[in-house]
Every structure is written in C-alpha cells, then in structure tokens.
Amino acid sequence: MILTLGRRFWFPLLLAVLLLAMLGSLLAGPFALSLGDLYAALIGQPHSPIHEAVVFKIRLPRVLLAALVGAALAVSGGAFQAVLRNPLADPYILGVSGGAALGAVAALALGIIPMQAMAFASFAGALGALTLVYWVARGAHGTPHALILAGVMVGSLASALLLFLLWTAPADPTRTAVFWLAGNLAMADPAWLPWSAVASALAFGWLWSRARSLDLFTQGEEVAADLGLDVGRARMSVFMAAGALTAAAVAMAGLVGFVGLTVPHVVRLLWGPSHRRLLPASALLGAAFLMIADALSRTLLAPAEIPVGVVTALLGAPFFLYLLRRREERG
C-alpha cells in the first residue's frame, strides 16, 4: 500500500524530501541556528543581523548550489546509463568529469581565475573528453562496452595530465585546485547561480524531451533503429547534453562522484525505468542527496569541513560495490 502510494504520488513525495533536506541543510553548520531564527530571517524579521547574514549570504546560496549540482549530476547519470545500457555508467566513470576537471585546472594553472573562464574551460574539457571517448569507441563499433572502457582510459589520461599540471603549477593555484577537486561548494560565485540554473534547466529540458528516445535505447540499439530512431545522432546529442550538465556541475563544485551513479538507480528501483519520470525524479532526489551530503560535510567535524566529494564517495562507493556484486551474481 505504501509502495503503491509512493509510486502514484512520487512528485509531491520527492518535493517533500527536497524541502526537508533544504531545511536541514539551512540549519546545519558550526554556527548554531534554531528553527525560529531561520523562520524569522526568511520572513525578513531576523533576530540578529548575524542570523540574516548566515542565512542569506552563506547557507542559502550554498544550499541552492548543492541542489543545482546534485540535480545536474543525477540527470546526466541517468541519461548516460540509458544510452550505454549499463547501470554502472556515470559522468565520473566515463571520463567526462575528469575532462572537465582537467580543463578547469588548466585554466587555473594558466592564471585564469575568473569563474566564467573556469566554467568555459571545464565545459571545453568535458567536450574534449566526450569526443575522445566517442572516437576511441567508434573503432570498436561504438558498443556500450567499448564506450565504458574508452571512458575509463580517457579518465585515467585526464587524471595523469591533471597531476602533471598540479605538479608544475605554482603553490597558490595548486592549493586552490586541490581544494576544488575534492568537491567544494564554498568556492563558487553566488552571482553565477542564476546563469548556471538557466543553462542546466535548458539541458535538462532538452534531455527530458528525448525521454522516449532514452526509453528506446534501453530496449537495444537494433530495436531503437527498427522503430525509427537515428541511433548514432541521438546518442551523440544525448552525450553532448549530458556532458554539458556535467561540465556545469564540475565547474561550480569540483569533482563530486557517485551522485550520477546512485541516484538514478534508486529512482529506477522505486518508480520504474520510464525516463519521462526518471529524469525529473532523479533531479529532485539528486538535489536532496547532495544537500544532505553537504550538511554532513559541514557538521561531522565542525568547525572543520570535509570536502563534499569525500562524503558522497563514502555514501556512494558501498552502493557501487553492491551493484557490481549483484551483476556478477546474475551473470
């Protein structure tokens, strides 16, 4: 009965989870803030100017950024898993995140600090990684297995180049890059939130409009072609849109792994494989997941802060290993 209601009312249920995660994340942190303090600040009658500053200048921009990054990574992961017909595919494993990180660190190493330039360099790095993965996989007829292997190779190559850049870069850019690479929601410029939200919404809308194509991909490329889908063109366009979402997320928060892997699986288990529902549900749950992870990163060792990428990896890696084990048992 509960499961049936959950499937029927998935949107209000996930919206409630999102709002609860947002509330918890606004309250979490080294500076104590009660529910009454938060409510007073939100309605414009703060008990103290400090409360107002903490809510509007520190925590609210960060919570919104976590929601945006979590949603982008979860949606791109769901799209990659559909196109590759592989439940273990996500932007991190496919080398897209590594390419985006390499682009951003290259910009830092060259002394290009503005967020706009970093975002552009990250996007260019993601596109470069996508192109290289696709080119390598084409030699093996572009099978999903070949794409995964090519993604791992490109990710390793990007990691090696990234380490070389960090080794040769001056100390200050290196320190900045290391903090950023571990997954950091504190370094993004809040002024970029609206622009990033608009760009991510456009990419998400485009992917959502291709939900039927993603459903066809899960039936196999031959079946999809028989039903009239231009498989090569559709696959490349989905790669580009999902890569753009990943690039935007990496540019804003560094490398935050496992969100794109775990969240679509949870949604698929709870509400089925239809991408018309899977993509928006993944966006809502991914946003809530990263807000909770960020709240944990700020409170577990307060006043010190754990990189949010570490928290998501600690939560996501056991789930990844469970998936591998389950696939092996099924043969």
Side-chain angles (χ1 to χ4, degrees):
M1 180 66 177
I2 294 176
L3 188 59
T4 302
L5 288 174
R7 287 180 176 174
R8 181 176 299 178
F9 300 107
W10 64 273
F11 183 76
L13 181 64
L14 283 174
L15 198 58
V17 171
L18 182 72
L19 292 176
L20 286 175
M22 181 177 289
L23 178 63
S25 191
L26 284 171
L27 293 172
F31 184 85
L33 201 64
S34 70
L35 194 59
D37 296 332
L38 176 61
Y39 176 75
L42 290 176
I43 64 172
Q45 299 176 354
H47 296 160
S48 160
I50 297 178
H51 293 163
E52 184 179 21
V54 168
V55 171
F56 288 105
K57 294 185 177 179
I58 300 176
R59 293 189 184 172
L60 186 58
R62 183 162 175 159
V63 166
L64 294 177
L65 177 63
L68 183 60
V69 171
L73 291 175
V75 169
S76 61
F80 281 130
Q81 287 167 13
V83 170
L84 298 175
R85 297 186 64 207
N86 190 313
L88 303 180
D90 83 335
Y92 197 82
I93 293 174
L94 288 171
V96 182
S97 296
L102 177 61
V105 171
L108 278 174
L110 292 172
I112 304 172
I113 303 299
M115 186 66 186
Q116 298 94 323
M118 276 189 60
F120 179 79
S122 178
F123 184 72
L127 290 186
L130 279 172
T131 304
L132 187 55
V133 168
Y134 192 75
W135 179 74
V136 172
R138 278 189 64 186
H141 306 292
T143 62
H145 185 65
L147 284 167
I148 293 287
L149 290 177
V152 171
M153 183 276 294
V154 170
S156 299
L157 178 63
S159 297
L161 293 173
L162 191 150
L163 289 174
F164 177 75
L165 288 176
L166 291 177
W167 179 64
T168 57
D172 287 343
T174 300
R175 193 179 300 111
T176 302
V178 168
F179 280 120
W180 178 77
L181 285 174
N184 197 316
L185 293 166
M187 297 178 67
D189 186 351
W192 265 81
L193 268 174
W195 297 101
S196 302
V198 170
S200 298
L202 289 175
F204 168 77
W206 191 91
L207 284 173
W208 193 59
S209 71
R210 298 297 187 274
R212 182 176 176 276
S213 299
L214 294 174
D215 289 341
L216 290 178
F217 270 116
T218 62
Q219 302 301 315
E221 294 184 355
E222 292 183 359
V223 174
D226 289 341
L227 293 174
L229 181 68
D230 186 341
V231 173
R233 185 174 182 179
R235 181 170 49 204
M236 194 60 189
S237 57
V238 170
F239 257 65
M240 298 298 280
L245 274 176
T246 302
V250 174
M252 290 185 288
L255 296 182
V256 181
F258 292 101
V259 178
L261 172 65
T262 57
V263 171
H265 279 294
V266 173
V267 172
R268 202 174 286 115
L269 288 172
L270 292 175
W271 294 292
S274 170
H275 288 83
R276 182 69 64 179
R277 180 168 48 197
L278 187 143
L279 292 182
S282 294
L284 292 171
L285 192 59
F289 175 72
L290 197 57
M291 283 193 287
I292 293 170
D294 181 50
L296 290 174
S297 76
R298 284 183 278 129
T299 54
L300 287 178
L301 296 178
E305 182 176 318
I306 305 172
V308 70
V310 174
V311 177
T312 58
L314 290 174
L315 296 174
F319 189 76
F320 182 83
L321 294 174
Y322 162 75
L323 288 176
L324 281 176
R325 179 69 180 177
R326 189 176 175 184
R327 280 172 61 88
E328 289 179 356
E329 289 176 351
R330 286 182 174 180

